[in-house]
Amino acid sequence: MCNVAIQLVIFCIYILFFCSLLVCNPQLCIIQHQTKEEQSQITSQVTGQIGWRREGIKYRRNELFLDVLESVNLLMSPQGQVLSAHVSGRVVMKSYLSGMPECKFGMNDKIVIDKQGKGGTTEDTGKSSGKQSIAIDDCTFHQCVRLSKFDSERSISFIPPDGEYELMRYRTTKDIILPFRVIPLVREVGRTKLEVKVVIKSNFKPSLLAQKIEVRIPTPLNTSGVQVICMKGKAKYKASENAIVWKIKRMAGMKESQISAEIELLPTNDKKKWARPPISMNFEVPFAPSGLKVRYLKVFESKLNYSDHDVIKWVRYIGRSGIYETRC
C-alpha cells in the first residue's frame, strides 16, 4: 500500500509539473497543430536557413514575372444600386533569378500613400502623386515574406522561391471599379408573353478591351419559344439551362450594346409569380478592378555581379468576374 501511495504522489507531481510548463509555454500544446509552412517559417527565423530556395541557382537571363489576378463580385439592384461588392485578389509570381536575391514589392496601399502625403518617405516619393490608392481589408502572404517589415513599413520584402508561387492574397471592398453595368427591363404582356431588353455598358478606358463576355438572362420554366435580336455578338436560347446566353468576343471601354427578346410562355395553373432570378455576367478585363497598381518591384543581389537594372521584369493585370449579378 505504501508503494502505491508513493507512486500516486509521484504521478501527481509529474502532472502538476507538466501543467505548469503549459501555462508558461502555451505554444507547446499547439505545436503539433502547426502546418509545415509555419514550422518552416519558425525554423528560418531561428536558424537563418531558407527552406523554400536552394543555394547556387544560376540563369543566363534574370527575369521576374508578376501577375495581379483579381475576381470582382457584385450584386446590383434593377435600379443600379450596388447591394454588395468585393474583390478577391492574388499576386502570382514567377522568379528566374540567380543567387540568393532580395526582392521588394510595393503597391498603392492607402496607408503608404497617406503617409507619403503627410511627408513620410517611401520607395518612390513623387511617383505616385495623383494615383488612386486602395484600402486593403485583409491579406495573407507566402512564408518567404518578412512580416515584420510589412507591419512596420508596409513594404513587402522577400527572398523569392525559384519558379512559380503565390506571393499574397488580399480582399478589398471600397472604391471598386465595376467593369460593366447591366441595365435590365422586363415587361410582362399578359400571362403568356414576356418582353426583355438588356443593355450592357462598359465602364473603363476606351483604349482597353474586355473579352470572353457572356451574359446569362434567365427565362421562366414554362417558356415555349424565344425570339432574340442582339446588336453585337451571338445569342442563343438554351432550354436545358432555362436561359438566353449572349456571347461577345471583345468590347472596348465606354461602349454599350443591347439585346432584345420576346419570350412565349405556356399556360400554367401555377398562381405563383415568376421569381425573376438575377442576370449574371462573365468577362475578363486587362486591369485590376480593385485599383491596385504595382509601384515598384526591385531586386538586390550583393554577392553576384548583377543589379536591379539587369533584371527583366514583366507585370500583368487580369480582372475576371466572380459572381457578378444584377437583379431584374
Side-chain angles (χ1 to χ4, degrees), residues 122-146:
T122 58
E123 290 287 330
D124 59 343
T125 305
K127 288 183 184 177
S128 306
S129 56
K131 285 188 180 178
Q132 179 197 9
S133 61
I134 68 161
I136 295 173
D137 293 342
D138 54 70
C139 53
T140 56
F141 296 102
H142 187 277
Q143 62 174 325
C144 67
V145 174
R146 292 196 171 95

Side-chain angles (χ1 to χ4, degrees), residues 69 72 91 119 141 192 201 219-220 225 228 292:
L69 308 174
V72 56
V91 175
F141 296 102
T192 58
K201 292 184 176 182
T219 59
V228 181
L292 186 142

Side-chain angles (χ1 to χ4, degrees), residues 59-215:
Y59 288 101
R60 285 185 181 179
R61 191 167 71 166
N62 291 294
E63 288 185 290
L64 203 53
F65 297 82
L66 187 150
D67 284 346
V68 177
L69 308 174
E70 293 194 344
S71 171
V72 56
N73 301 272
L74 169 73
L75 179 61
M76 186 176 273
S77 75
Q79 294 76 32
Q81 181 188 354
V82 175
L83 303 174
S84 68
H86 75 271
V87 167
S88 299
R90 298 187 303 137
V91 175
V92 176
M93 297 191 72
K94 287 181 186 176
S95 302
Y96 304 109
L97 301 170
S98 302
M100 199 65 74
E102 172 92 19
C103 295
K104 262 193 169 183
F105 162 61
M107 54 191 170
N108 56 334
D109 181 6
K110 192 175 190 299
I111 293 172
V112 174
I113 303 296
D114 288 352
K115 201 183 285 185
Q116 180 183 320
K118 290 173 186 174
T121 57
T122 58
E123 290 287 330
D124 59 343
T125 305
K127 288 183 184 177
S128 306
S129 56
K131 285 188 180 178
Q132 179 197 9
S133 61
I134 68 161
I136 295 173
D137 293 342
D138 54 70
C139 53
T140 56
F141 296 102
H142 187 277
Q143 62 174 325
C144 67
V145 174
R146 292 196 171 95
L147 296 179
S148 57
K149 284 242 178 186
F150 181 75
D151 290 338
S152 61
E153 303 170 20
R154 301 293 282 193
S155 71
I156 301 168
S157 299
F158 57 100
I159 294 172
D162 189 44
E164 186 172 344
Y165 55 97
E166 187 182 277
L167 183 68
M168 68 177 286
R169 286 186 177 223
Y170 58 93
R171 188 174 185 273
T172 66
T173 54
K174 293 178 182 174
D175 302 319
I176 292 166
I177 303 161
L178 299 173
F180 285 95
R181 165 92 192 273
V182 177
I183 304 167
L185 181 64
V186 179
R187 194 168 75 93
E188 295 181 21
V189 184
R191 291 178 62 85
T192 58
K193 194 176 181 181
L194 281 178
E195 290 180 352
V196 177
K197 180 183 173 183
V198 176
V199 177
I200 59 169
K201 292 184 176 182
S202 54
N203 180 36
F204 46 89
K205 291 178 183 177
S207 57
L208 300 177
L209 279 175
Q211 56 184 353
K212 301 176 185 174
I213 301 156
E214 182 181 288
V215 181

Side-chain angles (χ1 to χ4, degrees), residues 40-52 55 146 159:
S40 173
Q41 208 163 11
I42 291 166
T43 305
S44 172
Q45 288 169 358
V46 174
T47 66
Q49 290 180 344
I50 296 166
W52 58 85
E55 299 260 1
R146 292 196 171 95
I159 294 172

